[in-house]
Amino acid sequence: MRTVLNILNFVLGGFFTTLSWLLATLVSIIFIFTLPLTRSCWEITKLSLLPYGNEAVHVDELHPDRRNVLMNTGGTLLNILWLIFFGWWLCLSHIMVGITQCISIIGIPVGIANFKLAAIALWPVGRRVVSTEEARAAREANARRRYQ
């Protein structure tokens, strides 16, 4: 089912959003001050291409033992730069494609996936794309650790 939905996403507008993310990745490589954003761009490019079966999870959820205040502060500053330079237009592209996909009944699940990507497009630094199973396991382990 994931494969069918990923193909449907690609055909119904996912190609456009993936190209937008690739463009943002290339621009972040060109400018030196945006170079730290390149990893986040690439991670979300993968999620834009294959949104079903993958999730964007914050690094703190994947590796809670590696939490670092300095890295979180730097990530917040990078997210602010991201929002100013790339985030707003990528978010708008996901919203436009999502609305277009939701016009047809068959495109509604894919449109909802694009709305989720629109939220990620605003604040992507510190997120990693992992399989849905890995994300669920990390969340369960964090919940067990937190409530024991």
Side-chain angles (χ1 to χ4, degrees):
M1 188 66 178
R2 290 178 185 172
T3 305
V4 171
L5 287 171
N6 281 328
I7 291 170
L8 190 62
N9 173 60
F10 188 78
V11 171
L12 293 179
F15 179 72
F16 170 71
T17 56
T18 302
L19 281 179
S20 299
W21 278 101
L22 279 174
L23 178 65
T25 304
L26 292 174
V27 170
S28 70
I29 290 170
I30 292 170
F31 296 120
I32 293 174
F33 65 93
T34 58
L35 200 55
L37 300 171
T38 305
R39 169 105 191 239
S40 295
C41 285
W42 183 248
E43 290 286 328
I44 308 303
T45 300
K46 294 188 297 189
L47 186 61
S48 179
L49 182 62
L50 302 169
Y52 294 97
N54 295 314
E55 278 187 52
V57 179
H58 199 276
V59 175
D60 290 343
E61 289 183 45
L62 288 175
H63 308 288
D65 52 327
R66 295 189 209 165
R67 277 194 178 162
N68 186 342
V69 175
L70 183 62
M71 294 300 286
N72 284 341
T73 305
T76 302
L77 293 174
L78 286 172
N79 272 322
I80 291 169
L81 273 175
W82 172 265
L83 182 64
I84 293 168
F85 290 109
F86 305 111
W88 64 273
W89 64 269
L90 283 167
C91 178
L92 286 177
S93 73
H94 279 290
I95 290 172
M96 288 187 309
V97 169
I99 289 171
T100 306
Q101 290 170 336
C102 285
I103 290 173
S104 69
I105 291 179
I106 198 165
I108 290 174
V110 181
I112 291 170
N114 267 296
F115 295 139
K116 291 177 185 177
L117 282 166
I120 294 169
L122 291 175
W123 211 255
V125 175
R127 295 182 186 259
R128 298 293 175 261
V129 175
V130 296
S131 68
T132 305
E133 294 80 16
E134 189 177 343
R136 185 179 307 121
R139 288 186 182 116
E140 288 174 1
N142 287 336
R144 271 189 251 108
R145 193 176 306 117
R146 188 176 304 146
Y147 296 113
Q148 282 184 352

